[in-house]
Amino acid sequence: MREFHYRRPARVSDALALLGTDPGARPLAGGTNLVDLMKTGVERPALLVDLRDLPLDRIEATPDGGLRIGATATNSDLAAHPDVRRRYPALAQAVLAGASGQVRIMATVGGNLLQRTRCGYFTAPATTTACNKRAPGSGCAAIAGEHRNHAVLGATEHCVAVHPSDMAVALTAFDATVTYETADGTGELPLAGLYRPVGGTPHLETALPTGALITGVVLPPAPVAAASRYRKVRERASYAFAIGSLAAALDVRDGTVRDVRLAFGAVASHPWRARRAERALTGGPADATAFAAAADAELAAARPLPHNGHKLPLLRTLAVAVLTELAQEAAR
Amino acid sequence: MTTATTPPRPATGAVGTSHIRLEGRDKVTGAARYAADFPADGLAHGWIVVSTVARGRIRSVADTPVLAMPGVLAVLHHGNAPRLKEDFSGTFGPDATTQILQHDRVPHAGWPVALVVAETPEQAREAAESLTVTYATEPHDVDFRPGHPAAYTPEARPVRPAAAEKGDVEAELAASDVVVDARYTTAEEHHNPMEPHAALAHWDGGRLDVVDTTQGAHATAQDLARLFGLDPAAVRLRSEHVGGGFGCKAQVRAHLVLAVMAATLLARPVRVALTRAQTFTLIGHRSATAQRVRLGAGADGRLRALEHTALSATSTVQEFVETSAAYGRSLYDARGHRTVDSVVPLDIPTPTYMRAPGEAPGSFALECALDELAERCGIDPIVLRGRNEPAVGPVSGLPFAGRRLLDCFAEGARRFGWDGRDPRPGVRRDGRWLVGTGTAAATFFAGAFPATASATAHPDGTFTVRIAAADIGTGARTALTQLAAEALEVTPGRVRLLIADSDFGAAWVAGGSMGTRSWGWAVTLAARDLRERLALGGGVPADGLTVRSDTTQAVGALAARERHSYGAQFAEVAVDPGTGEIRVRRMLGVFAAGRIVNPLTARSQLTGGMIWGLSMALHEEAVRDTASGTLVNADLAGYHIAAHADVPAVEADWLDDPDPEDPVGIKGIGEIGAVGSAAAIANAVWHATGVRHRNLPIRPDRVLTAERDRAGHR
Amino acid sequence: MTAPTSSVITLHINGEPHTLTVDHRTTLLDALRERLGLTGTKKGCDHGQCGACTVLLDGRRALACLQLAVATEGRAVTTVEGVADGDRLHPVQQAFLELDGYQCGYCTPGQICSALAVLEEHAAGWPSAVTADLRPEAGPPALTDDEIRERMSGNLCRCAAYPAIVRAVARAAQERPGESGTVAA
């Protein structure tokens, strides 16, 4: 770990000033990803701007029935929040499926969205292996190497890493918006637009302007979200990253799908909103055949690597199983 | 020295009753000190730099700019490090992995190429990360695969010959009604004790004083003295508490060598601690294995042929053979019997002993093959074992010193609810889960090594017993206290047991399930001798009365027998064929493992071993990138060991297992729990799904791929 | 710019203030162990992947290896050394001791700190990944063995003392003042 400077501003404007003046500055929130990567040498900040004292940790209902989540609200506070559990249960489940109790208490919502991939070629310390994300232009060792848990959707020959977040999968399904500030003012991005396509520049991960600080996430009102679920499959029963995951919400009336939300996790460089599947389902029957057909429609675009083709039947199973459960619960 | 063979007299109720660990209070309050916990005035911190290439030579080590960094005291490398004994041979024989910074060769990625020493750990770390080392790289080969052209069968091995054969396997196979011919693989596994290796070394009045984390303070001290060419009496090494060992803390490792080098050069205390990532390349591991089992049997399941061949990988530095194929030599008989272990040297770190070395992977293959045979014969797997119970050692011809394997199965079957089990696979559903049960046998060699101990009577009626034993979590400290109390015919509270100090004399390490057996023997002899002397009267002098024991003669006098512990393993699993998830729902192990000294800690050790089997069956796998030669998951997020949520109710119990011929009667329980447990789970996965998973770990993707293949074949 | 790469801070540990100059690179874990002699908190992986360094920060569990010391100023730290009440062990410690909830003991301080927090989190009504009904109206879930296992999963134990640890946490849960609704199934 390299020597660095440390500041803990009390105001967002001060934080922005610090982040804007030093290109080596990084915001520090929970530190669960950043400090880890500083130890492996992937991150070498010259200045850490600690966000702890900023007033960005509140979770509150919006007048329209949505939810505003401060960027430094912790994962565990988010998962425990009554409004989240009641109105967006898949979000609470997604958060609870991530990492461990300790990590969730430290980690923050903003940090969760910006966490880096867990691809072993990216995180390996002092490695000589190629990684375009860590060392642009060096290549991607995972494509010819170990990629069992890598992307099946949206990847390119430059990078096949997946985004590791569970929380972001549920937020994506619920059309969350990310709010940010820069020295020039405030801005917002739909979460789906926060992550750049991999293309040829996998090291450029987000569309945030330089020096921007995520201030929060806004969830629009979504009645469908009250009947939602997150399912995650991993190589351990807990404390492991996903092989595949699904956030789903379903509104069924009289056997017909009125509204549906689907997002896959651990399949791409960002949470994968399954809009094709949603379109296929909306207005149609809520049965297993339709659910399977919708999953297949979404996964038709998948381009699995030699050793991760198992993700496709897994995601199909998850989609059918979770939507069937939600449909059965709606029928009760 | 007496070699009394009278049965122990339980005068105090100390042995065989549960006692909480003597150091338990220290462990729950944080007072127990492990190797990296010891302070020292003027302590300097070493940080190891390891190679980033898998094979080649070091061209340069740019130490000058690093020496100018804040706090940096020294940069040791092959160009300036003190010389070690080149032909070093230690407790476990020749060991070229100890030749740290002695040459410019890089035999594998993660080999130590330098040590940076600084005033603070932060300075040492940044300086180490800043050190530029250049290499002349050479092509490497880390690709472990069956049929590798460099594979060979080692010739002369004193313990566990690589090959054993009797009869004509091919002829017996040809004459068999049923033949099973199956190939199995197990993954490269890493010990990952929770405590990474660390050592603190300093010179104190002409003596080298070391705190290390080791499974044998005396053995490590002796080896260290030999390696550095020191008078053995000039080395004192202690390891009061050890945060797990499992085989990776029995040898002199890089952290210790480097701490001693730096403390010697700088003439101040130096601590060197491994990072978790470094433990993946510097402390040994269990090789991956590729095994083939061929069984031939009559229609009644009686074996005619048993052939088990196994390949493991070793390094180019030192040969180590994972003796998987040896597992069946004492367990199952057949007229044609052939077991051969082979090994292939690759450009990887040197493997070593890891909990149930040989037995863990070997039992997976053979106990699964037996299950396949039972299926083919239409016989219950337990009945099959009953039909193959040998009268004498199948290969040795020696009589058994007790063999209650079938009793373990009977008791286990009763408690597990095995009777009436529907043998058909893939027919039990519980929601999205397919449910199945499986069983497997277990056996582990019960050996003993010589040890010395001393027992001192004090005028106040208390006693001090000293032995260079190690408590790596086994409960040895408590068990030995119980044994001493029993032999002294006093309550355990009057016995102070001191361990883990090389100054206490020669003693075997905590390994091979022989620690408590070997030490307990020496402790018992010393304590009994002391009691007999006190019984003669004459009182205790003010400075105490001390007697010493040495079991060399007694161990040597032990009659040759097939002496083993046994067990029957049971598991119930649930498999979701749609997601590939596997959940173990319960496990039961019933063991016959000699005299159980402390039921409370014994149960923990046995269930711990069983969970190792679970972890091996479902989770553990070091993944090596063939292009770079490095591991891509050398951390605890990537290399999964079972977590709380993976572990269900696990029960272990035991049968009486007396051996009247044996003066101690303790067989050791460190490893038997980890034998056969992975096979029981794999057999249960077959019973649940109808798919034989012969490659460990049984990952979700393997389940999913098997389901896809099966669907494709329909 | 020559802004310092170290700071003078005051850490409040087990109720005691400690003022020291810390290198910014120093984690809370290393500050405890190397600077303050509090070696009960263990370094298992140094990357937040094992839980051995678990401490309580303002009463909530945290990984000391990922927590920079300089960022800990003003927060109350409880380590394993601060759990017992003088010579009297905390019920969680007592349960680990009596039920053999450990073997080598290296992960034990982290398990104990984690267990303390799990009981608090459960009492506060926090759900877990295995909680069937997340609705706040459902109230705190019964602290079943499965709930304990999931909540304790951030603490690895290589000796695999898991079954006894779960028993110890369950017993400590039942001994909580006013406890009546827990289920030890």
PDB file of all heavy atoms in Angstrom, chain A residues 1-3 39 121 126 129 148 231 235-237 317, chain B residues 52 125-126 129 432 578 619 623 625 628 641 646 699 701:
ATOM      1  N   MET A   1       0.838  -1.194   0.000  1.00  0.00           N
ATOM      2  CA  MET A   1       0.000   0.000   0.000  1.00  0.00           C
ATOM      3  C   MET A   1       0.877   1.248   0.000  1.00  0.00           C
ATOM      4  O   MET A   1       1.833   1.328   0.761  1.00  0.00           O
ATOM      5  CB  MET A   1      -0.904  -0.009   1.240  1.00  0.00           C
ATOM      6  CG  MET A   1      -2.116   0.871   1.118  1.00  0.00           C
ATOM      7  SD  MET A   1      -2.957   1.129   2.690  1.00  0.00           S
ATOM      8  CE  MET A   1      -3.665  -0.483   2.988  1.00  0.00           C
ATOM      9  N   ARG A   2       0.525   2.181  -0.889  1.00  0.00           N
ATOM     10  CA  ARG A   2       1.325   3.405  -1.004  1.00  0.00           C
ATOM     11  C   ARG A   2       0.900   4.437   0.045  1.00  0.00           C
ATOM     12  O   ARG A   2      -0.250   4.468   0.455  1.00  0.00           O
ATOM     13  CB  ARG A   2       1.151   4.016  -2.399  1.00  0.00           C
ATOM     14  CG  ARG A   2       1.551   3.111  -3.531  1.00  0.00           C
ATOM     15  CD  ARG A   2       3.005   2.714  -3.371  1.00  0.00           C
ATOM     16  NE  ARG A   2       3.344   1.568  -4.204  1.00  0.00           N
ATOM     17  CZ  ARG A   2       4.021   1.665  -5.354  1.00  0.00           C
ATOM     18  NH1 ARG A   2       4.397   2.837  -5.806  1.00  0.00           N
ATOM     19  NH2 ARG A   2       4.317   0.590  -6.037  1.00  0.00           N
ATOM     20  N   GLU A   3       1.856   5.280   0.400  1.00  0.00           N
ATOM     21  CA  GLU A   3       1.518   6.370   1.317  1.00  0.00           C
ATOM     22  C   GLU A   3       0.462   7.275   0.665  1.00  0.00           C
ATOM     23  O   GLU A   3       0.471   7.464  -0.553  1.00  0.00           O
ATOM     24  CB  GLU A   3       2.754   7.202   1.628  1.00  0.00           C
ATOM     25  CG  GLU A   3       3.678   6.530   2.618  1.00  0.00           C
ATOM     26  CD  GLU A   3       4.748   7.487   3.105  1.00  0.00           C
ATOM     27  OE1 GLU A   3       5.524   7.964   2.255  1.00  0.00           O
ATOM     28  OE2 GLU A   3       4.794   7.759   4.314  1.00  0.00           O
ATOM     29  N   LYS A  39      -4.546  -2.665  -0.876  1.00  0.00           N
ATOM     30  CA  LYS A  39      -3.578  -3.646  -0.377  1.00  0.00           C
ATOM     31  C   LYS A  39      -3.021  -4.526  -1.489  1.00  0.00           C
ATOM     32  O   LYS A  39      -1.894  -4.985  -1.411  1.00  0.00           O
ATOM     33  CB  LYS A  39      -4.236  -4.522   0.692  1.00  0.00           C
ATOM     34  CG  LYS A  39      -4.513  -3.766   1.984  1.00  0.00           C
ATOM     35  CD  LYS A  39      -5.105  -4.695   3.034  1.00  0.00           C
ATOM     36  CE  LYS A  39      -5.402  -3.913   4.308  1.00  0.00           C
ATOM     37  NZ  LYS A  39      -5.859  -4.787   5.393  1.00  0.00           N
ATOM     38  N   TYR A 121      -8.122 -12.280 -12.326  1.00  0.00           N
ATOM     39  CA  TYR A 121      -7.014 -11.669 -13.059  1.00  0.00           C
ATOM     40  C   TYR A 121      -6.929 -10.172 -12.755  1.00  0.00           C
ATOM     41  O   TYR A 121      -5.875  -9.569 -12.877  1.00  0.00           O
ATOM     42  CB  TYR A 121      -7.186 -11.899 -14.562  1.00  0.00           C
ATOM     43  CG  TYR A 121      -7.131 -13.355 -14.942  1.00  0.00           C
ATOM     44  CD1 TYR A 121      -8.297 -14.081 -15.165  1.00  0.00           C
ATOM     45  CD2 TYR A 121      -5.915 -14.016 -15.054  1.00  0.00           C
ATOM     46  CE1 TYR A 121      -8.250 -15.422 -15.511  1.00  0.00           C
ATOM     47  CE2 TYR A 121      -5.859 -15.356 -15.390  1.00  0.00           C
ATOM     48  CZ  TYR A 121      -7.028 -16.054 -15.614  1.00  0.00           C
ATOM     49  OH  TYR A 121      -6.979 -17.382 -15.942  1.00  0.00           O
ATOM     50  N   ALA A 126       0.288  -8.296  -7.577  1.00  0.00           N
ATOM     51  CA  ALA A 126       1.599  -8.422  -8.202  1.00  0.00           C
ATOM     52  C   ALA A 126       1.620  -9.486  -9.286  1.00  0.00           C
ATOM     53  O   ALA A 126       2.505 -10.307  -9.374  1.00  0.00           O
ATOM     54  CB  ALA A 126       2.653  -8.742  -7.151  1.00  0.00           C
ATOM     55  N   THR A 129      -0.305 -11.294 -15.118  1.00  0.00           N
ATOM     56  CA  THR A 129      -1.326 -11.660 -16.086  1.00  0.00           C
ATOM     57  C   THR A 129      -1.965 -10.420 -16.681  1.00  0.00           C
ATOM     58  O   THR A 129      -2.004  -9.358 -16.073  1.00  0.00           O
ATOM     59  CB  THR A 129      -2.417 -12.521 -15.434  1.00  0.00           C
ATOM     60  OG1 THR A 129      -2.979 -11.805 -14.353  1.00  0.00           O
ATOM     61  CG2 THR A 129      -1.850 -13.828 -14.936  1.00  0.00           C
ATOM     62  N   ARG A 148     -15.013 -19.332 -15.419  1.00  0.00           N
ATOM     63  CA  ARG A 148     -16.232 -20.063 -15.078  1.00  0.00           C
ATOM     64  C   ARG A 148     -17.348 -19.124 -14.635  1.00  0.00           C
ATOM     65  O   ARG A 148     -18.521 -19.357 -14.888  1.00  0.00           O
ATOM     66  CB  ARG A 148     -15.897 -21.056 -13.967  1.00  0.00           C
ATOM     67  CG  ARG A 148     -16.768 -22.249 -13.910  1.00  0.00           C
ATOM     68  CD  ARG A 148     -16.117 -23.312 -13.058  1.00  0.00           C
ATOM     69  NE  ARG A 148     -16.031 -22.932 -11.666  1.00  0.00           N
ATOM     70  CZ  ARG A 148     -14.938 -23.048 -10.931  1.00  0.00           C
ATOM     71  NH1 ARG A 148     -13.828 -23.528 -11.455  1.00  0.00           N
ATOM     72  NH2 ARG A 148     -14.944 -22.694  -9.672  1.00  0.00           N
ATOM     73  N   ARG A 231     -33.161 -14.001  -5.993  1.00  0.00           N
ATOM     74  CA  ARG A 231     -32.568 -15.320  -5.763  1.00  0.00           C
ATOM     75  C   ARG A 231     -31.143 -15.301  -6.293  1.00  0.00           C
ATOM     76  O   ARG A 231     -30.873 -14.822  -7.382  1.00  0.00           O
ATOM     77  CB  ARG A 231     -33.349 -16.421  -6.498  1.00  0.00           C
ATOM     78  CG  ARG A 231     -34.479 -17.082  -5.713  1.00  0.00           C
ATOM     79  CD  ARG A 231     -34.010 -18.194  -4.753  1.00  0.00           C
ATOM     80  NE  ARG A 231     -33.328 -19.319  -5.393  1.00  0.00           N
ATOM     81  CZ  ARG A 231     -33.927 -20.306  -6.037  1.00  0.00           C
ATOM     82  NH1 ARG A 231     -35.243 -20.327  -6.170  1.00  0.00           N
ATOM     83  NH2 ARG A 231     -33.218 -21.276  -6.582  1.00  0.00           N
ATOM     84  N   GLU A 235     -21.364 -20.623  -5.004  1.00  0.00           N
ATOM     85  CA  GLU A 235     -20.654 -21.867  -4.712  1.00  0.00           C
ATOM     86  C   GLU A 235     -20.578 -22.169  -3.220  1.00  0.00           C
ATOM     87  O   GLU A 235     -20.117 -23.238  -2.833  1.00  0.00           O
ATOM     88  CB  GLU A 235     -19.255 -21.847  -5.344  1.00  0.00           C
ATOM     89  CG  GLU A 235     -19.338 -21.963  -6.865  1.00  0.00           C
ATOM     90  CD  GLU A 235     -17.997 -21.951  -7.555  1.00  0.00           C
ATOM     91  OE1 GLU A 235     -16.967 -21.875  -6.864  1.00  0.00           O
ATOM     92  OE2 GLU A 235     -17.982 -22.006  -8.788  1.00  0.00           O
ATOM     93  N   ARG A 236     -20.938 -21.238  -2.382  1.00  0.00           N
ATOM     94  CA  ARG A 236     -21.165 -21.509  -0.974  1.00  0.00           C
ATOM     95  C   ARG A 236     -22.586 -21.078  -0.668  1.00  0.00           C
ATOM     96  O   ARG A 236     -23.162 -20.296  -1.409  1.00  0.00           O
ATOM     97  CB  ARG A 236     -20.217 -20.680  -0.081  1.00  0.00           C
ATOM     98  CG  ARG A 236     -18.913 -21.308   0.201  1.00  0.00           C
ATOM     99  CD  ARG A 236     -18.184 -20.678   1.400  1.00  0.00           C
ATOM    100  NE  ARG A 236     -17.864 -19.276   1.297  1.00  0.00           N
ATOM    101  CZ  ARG A 236     -16.689 -18.751   1.647  1.00  0.00           C
ATOM    102  NH1 ARG A 236     -15.723 -19.513   2.103  1.00  0.00           N
ATOM    103  NH2 ARG A 236     -16.479 -17.459   1.560  1.00  0.00           N
ATOM    104  N   ALA A 237     -23.108 -21.538   0.452  1.00  0.00           N
ATOM    105  CA  ALA A 237     -24.478 -21.159   0.788  1.00  0.00           C
ATOM    106  C   ALA A 237     -24.555 -19.708   1.233  1.00  0.00           C
ATOM    107  O   ALA A 237     -25.634 -19.119   1.296  1.00  0.00           O
ATOM    108  CB  ALA A 237     -25.024 -22.081   1.877  1.00  0.00           C
ATOM    109  N   THR A 317     -33.674 -21.443 -15.152  1.00  0.00           N
ATOM    110  CA  THR A 317     -34.299 -22.056 -13.977  1.00  0.00           C
ATOM    111  C   THR A 317     -34.741 -20.989 -12.986  1.00  0.00           C
ATOM    112  O   THR A 317     -35.860 -21.030 -12.458  1.00  0.00           O
ATOM    113  CB  THR A 317     -33.318 -23.008 -13.269  1.00  0.00           C
ATOM    114  OG1 THR A 317     -32.973 -24.054 -14.159  1.00  0.00           O
ATOM    115  CG2 THR A 317     -33.941 -23.587 -12.006  1.00  0.00           C
TER     116      THR A 317
ATOM    117  N   THR B  52       7.006 -13.309  -9.583  1.00  0.00           N
ATOM    118  CA  THR B  52       5.774 -13.164 -10.354  1.00  0.00           C
ATOM    119  C   THR B  52       5.802 -14.082 -11.571  1.00  0.00           C
ATOM    120  O   THR B  52       4.801 -14.194 -12.273  1.00  0.00           O
ATOM    121  CB  THR B  52       5.595 -11.713 -10.824  1.00  0.00           C
ATOM    122  OG1 THR B  52       6.780 -11.326 -11.527  1.00  0.00           O
ATOM    123  CG2 THR B  52       5.385 -10.795  -9.642  1.00  0.00           C
ATOM    124  N   ARG B 125       5.962  -3.131   3.875  1.00  0.00           N
ATOM    125  CA  ARG B 125       5.060  -3.541   2.803  1.00  0.00           C
ATOM    126  C   ARG B 125       5.227  -2.670   1.564  1.00  0.00           C
ATOM    127  O   ARG B 125       5.384  -3.185   0.448  1.00  0.00           O
ATOM    128  CB  ARG B 125       3.616  -3.451   3.301  1.00  0.00           C
ATOM    129  CG  ARG B 125       2.616  -3.761   2.239  1.00  0.00           C
ATOM    130  CD  ARG B 125       1.193  -3.687   2.767  1.00  0.00           C
ATOM    131  NE  ARG B 125       0.358  -4.537   1.953  1.00  0.00           N
ATOM    132  CZ  ARG B 125      -0.712  -5.187   2.400  1.00  0.00           C
ATOM    133  NH1 ARG B 125      -1.065  -5.092   3.647  1.00  0.00           N
ATOM    134  NH2 ARG B 125      -1.419  -5.936   1.601  1.00  0.00           N
ATOM    135  N   GLU B 126       5.222  -1.357   1.755  1.00  0.00           N
ATOM    136  CA  GLU B 126       5.344  -0.490   0.579  1.00  0.00           C
ATOM    137  C   GLU B 126       6.698  -0.666  -0.096  1.00  0.00           C
ATOM    138  O   GLU B 126       6.801  -0.691  -1.325  1.00  0.00           O
ATOM    139  CB  GLU B 126       5.128   0.989   0.955  1.00  0.00           C
ATOM    140  CG  GLU B 126       5.262   1.889  -0.271  1.00  0.00           C
ATOM    141  CD  GLU B 126       4.615   3.260  -0.127  1.00  0.00           C
ATOM    142  OE1 GLU B 126       3.815   3.447   0.801  1.00  0.00           O
ATOM    143  OE2 GLU B 126       4.908   4.126  -0.966  1.00  0.00           O
ATOM    144  N   GLU B 129       6.654  -3.856  -2.038  1.00  0.00           N
ATOM    145  CA  GLU B 129       5.859  -3.716  -3.258  1.00  0.00           C
ATOM    146  C   GLU B 129       6.592  -2.851  -4.296  1.00  0.00           C
ATOM    147  O   GLU B 129       6.283  -2.910  -5.478  1.00  0.00           O
ATOM    148  CB  GLU B 129       4.489  -3.110  -2.926  1.00  0.00           C
ATOM    149  CG  GLU B 129       3.572  -4.099  -2.212  1.00  0.00           C
ATOM    150  CD  GLU B 129       2.352  -3.459  -1.548  1.00  0.00           C
ATOM    151  OE1 GLU B 129       2.183  -2.222  -1.642  1.00  0.00           O
ATOM    152  OE2 GLU B 129       1.587  -4.201  -0.915  1.00  0.00           O
ATOM    153  N   ARG B 432     -38.017 -28.112  -4.562  1.00  0.00           N
ATOM    154  CA  ARG B 432     -37.086 -28.065  -5.700  1.00  0.00           C
ATOM    155  C   ARG B 432     -35.890 -28.983  -5.503  1.00  0.00           C
ATOM    156  O   ARG B 432     -35.040 -29.101  -6.387  1.00  0.00           O
ATOM    157  CB  ARG B 432     -36.628 -26.625  -5.936  1.00  0.00           C
ATOM    158  CG  ARG B 432     -35.780 -26.020  -4.832  1.00  0.00           C
ATOM    159  CD  ARG B 432     -35.507 -24.539  -5.125  1.00  0.00           C
ATOM    160  NE  ARG B 432     -34.794 -23.868  -4.051  1.00  0.00           N
ATOM    161  CZ  ARG B 432     -33.483 -23.590  -4.084  1.00  0.00           C
ATOM    162  NH1 ARG B 432     -32.750 -23.957  -5.107  1.00  0.00           N
ATOM    163  NH2 ARG B 432     -32.908 -22.941  -3.086  1.00  0.00           N
ATOM    164  N   GLY B 578     -31.799 -27.867 -11.043  1.00  0.00           N
ATOM    165  CA  GLY B 578     -32.004 -26.710 -11.912  1.00  0.00           C
ATOM    166  C   GLY B 578     -31.018 -25.593 -11.669  1.00  0.00           C
ATOM    167  O   GLY B 578     -30.755 -24.781 -12.557  1.00  0.00           O
ATOM    168  N   HIS B 619     -16.519 -27.609  -2.110  1.00  0.00           N
ATOM    169  CA  HIS B 619     -16.036 -26.235  -2.210  1.00  0.00           C
ATOM    170  C   HIS B 619     -14.592 -26.048  -2.657  1.00  0.00           C
ATOM    171  O   HIS B 619     -14.304 -25.144  -3.436  1.00  0.00           O
ATOM    172  CB  HIS B 619     -16.208 -25.539  -0.855  1.00  0.00           C
ATOM    173  CG  HIS B 619     -17.598 -25.556  -0.329  1.00  0.00           C
ATOM    174  ND1 HIS B 619     -18.649 -24.978  -1.002  1.00  0.00           N
ATOM    175  CD2 HIS B 619     -18.132 -26.114   0.778  1.00  0.00           C
ATOM    176  CE1 HIS B 619     -19.774 -25.166  -0.312  1.00  0.00           C
ATOM    177  NE2 HIS B 619     -19.480 -25.857   0.767  1.00  0.00           N
ATOM    178  N   VAL B 623      -7.429 -22.825  -8.313  1.00  0.00           N
ATOM    179  CA  VAL B 623      -7.501 -22.809  -9.771  1.00  0.00           C
ATOM    180  C   VAL B 623      -6.238 -22.160 -10.330  1.00  0.00           C
ATOM    181  O   VAL B 623      -5.946 -21.001 -10.026  1.00  0.00           O
ATOM    182  CB  VAL B 623      -8.756 -22.049 -10.242  1.00  0.00           C
ATOM    183  CG1 VAL B 623      -8.823 -22.023 -11.754  1.00  0.00           C
ATOM    184  CG2 VAL B 623     -10.009 -22.693  -9.668  1.00  0.00           C
ATOM    185  N   ASP B 625      -3.897 -20.838 -13.378  1.00  0.00           N
ATOM    186  CA  ASP B 625      -3.907 -20.313 -14.742  1.00  0.00           C
ATOM    187  C   ASP B 625      -2.689 -20.886 -15.464  1.00  0.00           C
ATOM    188  O   ASP B 625      -1.550 -20.614 -15.070  1.00  0.00           O
ATOM    189  CB  ASP B 625      -3.837 -18.785 -14.671  1.00  0.00           C
ATOM    190  CG  ASP B 625      -3.761 -18.158 -16.039  1.00  0.00           C
ATOM    191  OD1 ASP B 625      -4.636 -18.432 -16.857  1.00  0.00           O
ATOM    192  OD2 ASP B 625      -2.801 -17.396 -16.285  1.00  0.00           O
ATOM    193  N   SER B 628       0.012 -18.215 -16.973  1.00  0.00           N
ATOM    194  CA  SER B 628       0.928 -17.495 -16.084  1.00  0.00           C
ATOM    195  C   SER B 628       1.541 -18.407 -15.035  1.00  0.00           C
ATOM    196  O   SER B 628       2.556 -18.074 -14.432  1.00  0.00           O
ATOM    197  CB  SER B 628       0.185 -16.358 -15.377  1.00  0.00           C
ATOM    198  OG  SER B 628      -0.804 -16.898 -14.510  1.00  0.00           O
ATOM    199  N   ILE B 641     -13.605 -22.225   1.538  1.00  0.00           N
ATOM    200  CA  ILE B 641     -13.744 -23.287   2.529  1.00  0.00           C
ATOM    201  C   ILE B 641     -15.172 -23.186   3.062  1.00  0.00           C
ATOM    202  O   ILE B 641     -15.785 -22.119   2.979  1.00  0.00           O
ATOM    203  CB  ILE B 641     -12.717 -23.178   3.678  1.00  0.00           C
ATOM    204  CG1 ILE B 641     -12.906 -21.891   4.467  1.00  0.00           C
ATOM    205  CG2 ILE B 641     -11.298 -23.242   3.118  1.00  0.00           C
ATOM    206  CD1 ILE B 641     -12.069 -21.826   5.736  1.00  0.00           C
ATOM    207  N   ASP B 646     -22.884 -23.467   5.254  1.00  0.00           N
ATOM    208  CA  ASP B 646     -22.741 -24.719   4.506  1.00  0.00           C
ATOM    209  C   ASP B 646     -22.816 -25.938   5.411  1.00  0.00           C
ATOM    210  O   ASP B 646     -22.887 -27.060   4.915  1.00  0.00           O
ATOM    211  CB  ASP B 646     -21.386 -24.741   3.787  1.00  0.00           C
ATOM    212  CG  ASP B 646     -21.268 -23.637   2.763  1.00  0.00           C
ATOM    213  OD1 ASP B 646     -22.095 -23.617   1.849  1.00  0.00           O
ATOM    214  OD2 ASP B 646     -20.357 -22.802   2.899  1.00  0.00           O
ATOM    215  N   ARG B 699     -19.250 -28.835  -7.959  1.00  0.00           N
ATOM    216  CA  ARG B 699     -19.692 -27.432  -8.028  1.00  0.00           C
ATOM    217  C   ARG B 699     -21.049 -27.344  -8.696  1.00  0.00           C
ATOM    218  O   ARG B 699     -21.428 -28.233  -9.466  1.00  0.00           O
ATOM    219  CB  ARG B 699     -18.689 -26.609  -8.856  1.00  0.00           C
ATOM    220  CG  ARG B 699     -17.252 -26.620  -8.351  1.00  0.00           C
ATOM    221  CD  ARG B 699     -16.411 -25.683  -9.226  1.00  0.00           C
ATOM    222  NE  ARG B 699     -16.578 -25.967 -10.632  1.00  0.00           N
ATOM    223  CZ  ARG B 699     -15.624 -26.471 -11.422  1.00  0.00           C
ATOM    224  NH1 ARG B 699     -14.426 -26.763 -10.944  1.00  0.00           N
ATOM    225  NH2 ARG B 699     -15.857 -26.686 -12.702  1.00  0.00           N
ATOM    226  N   ASP B 701     -21.822 -25.666 -11.266  1.00  0.00           N
ATOM    227  CA  ASP B 701     -21.713 -25.763 -12.725  1.00  0.00           C
ATOM    228  C   ASP B 701     -21.545 -27.213 -13.167  1.00  0.00           C
ATOM    229  O   ASP B 701     -21.979 -27.590 -14.247  1.00  0.00           O
ATOM    230  CB  ASP B 701     -20.564 -24.892 -13.258  1.00  0.00           C
ATOM    231  CG  ASP B 701     -19.213 -25.355 -12.780  1.00  0.00           C
ATOM    232  OD1 ASP B 701     -18.935 -25.212 -11.583  1.00  0.00           O
ATOM    233  OD2 ASP B 701     -18.432 -25.884 -13.599  1.00  0.00           O
TER     234      ASP B 701
END
